[in-house]
Amino acid sequence: MQINIILAGVGGQGILTIAAVIDHAALQSGLTVRQAEVHGMSQRGGAVQSHLRISDKEIFSDLIAEGTANLILSVEPLEALRYLPFLAPQGRIVTSTDSFINMEGYPTTEQILDELHRTNHPVLVNAAELAREAGSVRTSNMVMLGAAAPFIGIATEMLEASIEKLFQAKGADIAAMNIRAFRTGQALSQLQATAT
Amino acid sequence: MKQLLLGAEAIALGALDGGISGVYAYPGTPSTEITEYIQKNKGDREQPVRSAWSANEKTAYEAALGMSYAGKRSLVCMKHVGLNVAADAFINSAITGVNGGLVVAVADDPSMHSSQNEQDSRVYGKFAMVPVVEPASQQELYDAARYAFDLSESLKLPVLLRLTTRLAHSRAGVEGTARGTQNQLNAPYAPERFVLMPHNARRQYNNLLAMQAELEEHSEQSWLNRLIPGTGTTGVLAFGIAFNYVMEVRQAYALDCPVLKIGHYPLPRKKIEALFNSCETILVAEEGYPVYEELLRGYFGNTHIKGRLDGTLPRAGELNADSVALALGLAKKEVIPVPAIMVNRPPELCKGCGHRDLYEALNTVMNAHVQQHVFSDIGCYTLGALAPYNAIHTCVDMGASITMAKGAADAGLRPAVAVIGDSTFTHSGMTGLLDAINDRAPLTVIIADNDTTAMTGGQDSSANGSRLLDICRGLGVDEAHLKTIIPLKSHLAENIAVLREEIAWDGVSVVVAQRECIETAARKKRNPAAKA
Ligand code: SF4
């Protein structure tokens, strides 16, 4: 098995937290991981991405080749589209629909949704709203991870255990809230899958 | 047990396990995390490991050399352009040689993700005639860090460990080996090596020249240089991380070309000869400049060699599996294009950042002038070059704001204004300010003091607050023209007045804009134990 994931977002949105959860779960599952991330100038509100690769074999390249990403997981809808050349023909987009506008010429929601719907059954997530329901808007990254969980190729228990581990230092209730957020996202994703 | 580490962190762990007594560095993307990892993880070592930030790469390198002189192992880390700053020390340390193992880890930034150029540090290694190791994976970085210390100590030469952004900032599982212990203090008198007066320098240089054959022999035997056997008429010479892309393509397309992986320089001549003799065409894949492609191709060219120089691979920028696939003759893939509605999302100053308020005030003052040039420098405040501020007009190298503004003032440009951060000022701005004072140049230096090295993630700067003012006084700035402002909305009118007055003054003035970086402040609040 080999899964290539592009994580996308805006500097400061914390996509590396999502990466950390997946990395840890993959390693615990006995898989090989390579995860390239962006540090430096772009982290100040610029477009940021992380290439995350999981395999049961040796992985050579830290970067994903064009047309081979199984999943683009984006915490911002326009950012999901930025990396389309990486998406495999049958690859999936899972994205938050919460726009983050900090530049000129941001397209309309309609334009973005149009483009997203051209891809293979995109999963669109109102992450902030679901996160608030789970207890805090700060859990929206875990909502997104939950929504992407069916496409990551790692058992749900492993992902949840990894969330638990990552957040336990912040207290049991914070960890529980993030698990709740994860499950909310996962439920939405399953609902959308049966609807399409 | 495997730990998930960034490439930069793998070097750090390798150095700690290899028994370093100290690390010296100035922060710079993509090298910063090496030192940060050591700062965070040195606690459980039996003996203390010295790890605070240095003022700049030159002071860092010289201190590392001093530690090595005293018999202990030291690591010095920097980004590629940092090696320009440390070059004097680096090149000459190859002439003196070292005592304790000295490894200089240099992180290059091809594609310029966070840098002004994509210079290739292997050129420096060749220039200094010292061994260079260039690992291709995180595990290799760990192993190579340990190996480089042993090599350095046995050869009594500094060893350059080169990596690039992708490896520095990519995570993978890394397995450590048994921890070594630190060396004892052992500082023999050796003025014949370390006093580089001409008579000594000539002899030492000849020794270095005489060692080159031995260095090449080490490369021939090195585990970092190995052949992946194959068939066919095209062979690949894959340097450093380029090996990964070649192997990725080889695996994805089930190719069987022979690949010679190079990760230890000088070049292993015999290994390369063997590859050249067994193939008709050689693809040379190097991450960075076509340093060795040029050498192998020769001045009059060799049409059997393909690479960056003949357009088989792009001349500039990072390689990837896609560019390597094309170079190996595979057809370009059809991919989904980026939609036409896409717009760029450039980085920007954080909302609430003090630099925003500084630039707002400065722009107001400069708008009243015909000549509105502002010379600036490297840090978060460089983002003031972009909309909406468009407030600065140069950013060249660390410290150049002050010296360029001074030169422009010498040429007659009025006003001459420089904007520099606290950390950049202590890195390379102070000496330029001294020049300006000695010359009585009509110059206003604005030090944007946010109490940290913000761009690289909030490392301690060498001096800030009142110490910066003391430094300026000590250099000779007139007390009447040494001002402090607080870049906040509520102080806008006052700040405009101070800047207007000092920019109008026909001599050296310094305005220190003091307000802590809000990101660093927030981090300290979240984690009060961490100093920064
Ligand atoms: S990190 Fe600090 S200095 Fe840099 S833009 Fe943000 S607030 Fe300003």
Side-chain angles (χ1 to χ4, degrees):
Chain A
M1 93 32 121
Q2 185 175 91
I3 303 274
N4 293 328
I5 306 169
I6 301 236
L7 295 168
V10 179
Q13 284 190 310
I15 60 166
L16 295 183
T17 315
I18 303 179
V21 174
I22 304 176
D23 288 349
H24 184 258
L27 220 59
Q28 290 298 311
S29 312
L31 299 166
T32 309
V33 185
R34 291 287 269 249
Q35 184 234 318
E37 48 196 55
V38 175
H39 295 200
M41 195 174 253
S42 316
Q43 281 179 305
R44 309 261 164 278
V48 290
Q49 102 300 103
S50 173
H51 288 210
L52 204 167
R53 312 189 64 196
I54 306 166
S55 178
D56 52 10
K57 291 190 288 290
E58 182 174 7
I59 301 171
F60 289 106
S61 169
D62 298 273
L63 296 177
I64 295 170
E66 290 194 337
T68 66
N70 309 84
L71 171 67
I72 293 177
L73 168 51
S74 181
V75 297
E76 206 278 347
L78 182 66
E79 293 308 316
L81 298 172
R82 195 178 298 280
Y83 307 101
L84 272 181
F86 287 98
L87 197 61
Q90 294 307 309
R92 302 288 292 262
I93 290 185
V94 176
T95 182
S96 162
T97 49
D98 305 323
S99 293
F100 187 99
I101 306 178
N102 62 343
M103 75 285 213
E104 303 272 301
Y106 193 93
T108 64
T109 308
E110 220 164 67
Q111 285 174 314
I112 295 176
L113 288 178
D114 263 6
E115 293 292 347
L116 285 170
H117 281 298
R118 274 179 229 266
T119 66
N120 179 25
H121 301 298
V123 178
L124 307 179
V125 188
N126 48 337
E129 197 181 324
L130 294 180
R132 244 174 259 122
E133 279 169 25
S136 162
V137 70
R138 299 181 65 167
T139 63
S140 52
N141 282 341
M142 290 307 111
V143 172
M144 290 312 303
L145 177 62
F151 313 107
I152 294 179
I154 294 177
T156 300
E157 311 82 72
M158 297 306 283
L159 289 170
E160 290 196 354
S162 181
I163 297 174
E164 191 80 53
K165 176 144 183 10
L166 195 76
F167 288 99
Q168 74 192 6
K170 296 191 173 156
D173 43 336
I174 301 275
M177 189 165 78
N178 278 285
I179 298 272
R180 212 155 52 230
F182 173 84
R183 289 183 183 163
T184 314
Q186 200 176 23
L188 175 96
S189 190
Q190 274 151 1
L191 199 71
Q192 290 197 10
T194 45
T196 47
Chain B
M1 223 267 298
K2 276 196 177 163
Q3 328 180 34
L4 201 61
L5 295 180
L6 289 173
E9 297 172 336
I11 295 175
L13 184 62
L16 279 173
D17 288 352
I20 54 164
S21 300
V23 61
Y24 296 88
Y26 181 80
T29 312
S31 70
T32 315
E33 295 80 2
I34 306 173
T35 307
E36 284 186 327
Y37 184 89
I38 294 173
Q39 291 171 343
K40 284 186 202 125
N41 294 281
K42 63 178 188 175
D44 68 337
R45 301 283 151 170
E46 266 170 36
Q47 288 162 284
V49 178
R50 179 275 161 220
S51 68
W53 294 105
S54 303
N56 66 38
E57 293 85 355
K58 181 174 183 286
T59 65
Y61 195 98
E62 290 155 353
L65 181 60
M67 182 172 271
S68 157
Y69 179 96
K72 302 207 176 180
R73 291 187 165 189
S74 59
L75 174 70
V76 51
C77 319
M78 58 196 70
K79 67 183 296 177
H80 57 343
V81 288
L83 189 52
N84 297 334
V85 178
D88 199 6
F90 170 62
I91 304 288
N92 289 313
S93 69
I95 310 289
T96 60
V98 305
N99 290 332
L102 170 56
V103 173
V104 48
V106 186
D108 291 358
D109 190 19
S111 283
M112 301 177 233
H113 298 282
S114 235
S115 309
Q116 343 58 313
N117 72 37
E118 57 173 31
Q119 67 183 61
D120 188 324
S121 298
R122 295 176 305 158
V123 175
Y124 269 116
K126 206 159 163 276
F127 190 30
M129 290 181 279
V130 298
V132 176
V133 291
E134 190 188 16
S137 69
Q138 290 78 354
Q139 183 66 51
E140 271 195 10
L141 282 167
Y142 173 87
D143 296 333
R146 301 205 59 170
Y147 172 65
F149 276 105
D150 293 342
L151 189 68
S152 167
E153 219 159 81
S154 71
L155 293 169
K156 296 273 174 260
L157 281 179
V159 172
L160 194 154
L161 192 167
R162 184 219 188 201
L163 74 164
T164 53
T165 308
R166 283 303 161 194
L167 210 48
H169 288 166
S170 176
R171 288 174 204 277
V174 173
E175 200 148 6
T177 43
R179 291 182 178 189
T181 49
Q182 292 192 19
N183 290 351
Q184 299 290 332
L185 184 71
N186 175 21
Y189 291 94
E192 70 288 354
R193 288 171 58 203
F194 282 93
V195 178
L196 289 183
M197 291 170 75
H199 65 290
N200 287 332
R202 284 185 205 112
R203 189 187 52 251
Q204 284 298 106
Y205 180 55
N206 278 324
N207 289 346
L208 180 62
L209 292 175
M211 281 183 82
Q212 295 304 304
E214 184 188 347
L215 301 192
E216 196 176 302
E217 199 40 46
H218 274 282
S219 289
E220 293 289 0
Q221 307 303 331
S222 175
W223 58 278
L224 285 157
N225 296 331
R226 59 177 189 269
L227 181 76
I228 315 301
T231 54
T233 54
T234 300
V236 185
L237 199 52
F239 293 78
I241 198 174
F243 174 74
N244 299 353
Y245 303 130
V246 172
M247 293 306 283
E248 181 80 21
V249 172
R250 203 173 175 269
Q251 186 181 55
Y253 294 88
L255 306 179
D256 190 41
C257 51
V259 179
L260 179 57
K261 172 189 184 301
I262 303 288
H264 187 158
Y265 310 78
L267 289 191
R269 181 182 291 266
K270 290 185 210 120
K271 283 197 165 120
I272 290 179
E273 234 168 16
L275 181 75
F276 273 58
N277 288 340
S278 69
C279 297
E280 262 169 40
T281 311
I282 301 285
L283 175 69
V284 181
E286 293 177 85
E287 185 72 305
Y289 286 11
V291 182
Y292 290 96
E293 182 189 339
E294 197 172 1
L295 184 97
L296 292 167
R297 199 181 269 276
Y299 186 72
F300 294 105
N302 174 343
T303 50
H304 299 289
I305 295 178
K306 309 279 174 207
R308 286 188 186 265
L309 288 171
D310 64 350
T312 303
L313 285 167
R315 176 65 182 79
E318 286 185 283
L319 299 176
N320 54 45
D322 298 307
S323 57
V324 170
L326 283 180
L328 284 170
L330 297 154
K332 192 163 168 54
K333 262 183 289 192
E334 285 284 325
V335 298
I336 311 169
V338 177
I341 57 165
M342 186 53 68
V343 275
N344 280 342
R345 192 190 294 271
E348 57 175 2
L349 292 165
C350 301
K351 302 272 180 285
C353 172
H355 297 330
R356 286 179 176 260
D357 298 298
L358 172 63
Y359 283 134
E360 199 180 332
L362 182 60
N363 277 352
T364 310
V365 174
M366 295 309 283
N367 276 339
H369 291 272
V370 180
Q371 297 284 358
Q372 301 181 359
H373 299 271
V374 174
F375 297 85
S376 193
D377 234 297
I378 299 173
C380 279
Y381 51 94
T382 313
L383 294 169
L386 307 179
Y389 298 103
N390 303 308
I392 61 164
H393 309 100
T394 72
C395 161
V396 181
D397 66 87
M398 295 290 282
S401 57
I402 297 179
T403 29
M404 281 181 71
K406 180 198 177 287
D410 293 343
L413 187 75
R414 299 287 183 282
V417 179
V419 173
I420 187 169
D422 49 327
S423 184
T424 309
F425 179 72
T426 50
H427 178 289
S428 288
M430 302 190 299
T431 43
L433 181 57
L434 184 61
D435 276 351
I437 289 162
N438 290 343
D439 242 8
R440 296 176 204 281
L443 173 70
T444 300
V445 176
I446 300 166
I447 304 178
D449 176 13
N450 59 3
D451 206 17
T452 189
T453 315
M455 178 55 95
T456 46
Q459 295 76 24
D460 290 342
S461 33
S462 293
N464 39 39
S466 61
R467 282 185 70 200
L468 273 183
L469 296 169
D470 287 341
I471 289 171
C472 293
R473 276 185 205 107
L475 290 172
V477 177
D478 181 354
E479 192 69 44
H481 297 284
L482 179 58
K483 301 277 171 69
T484 304
I485 62 173
I486 298 173
L488 270 174
K489 275 257 159 343
S490 51
H491 289 232
L492 183 63
E494 197 179 321
N495 295 346
I496 290 173
V498 172
L499 287 171
R500 182 176 290 140
E501 194 178 319
E502 293 310 327
I503 287 172
W505 155 250
D506 193 38
V508 177
S509 54
V510 175
V511 179
V512 184
Q514 283 175 340
R515 176 146 83 83
E516 189 178 17
C517 159
I518 54 173
E519 281 281 309
T520 305
R523 196 171 30 249
K524 280 189 197 159
K525 215 169 140 198
R526 279 197 302 271
N527 185 8
K531 257 185 77 196

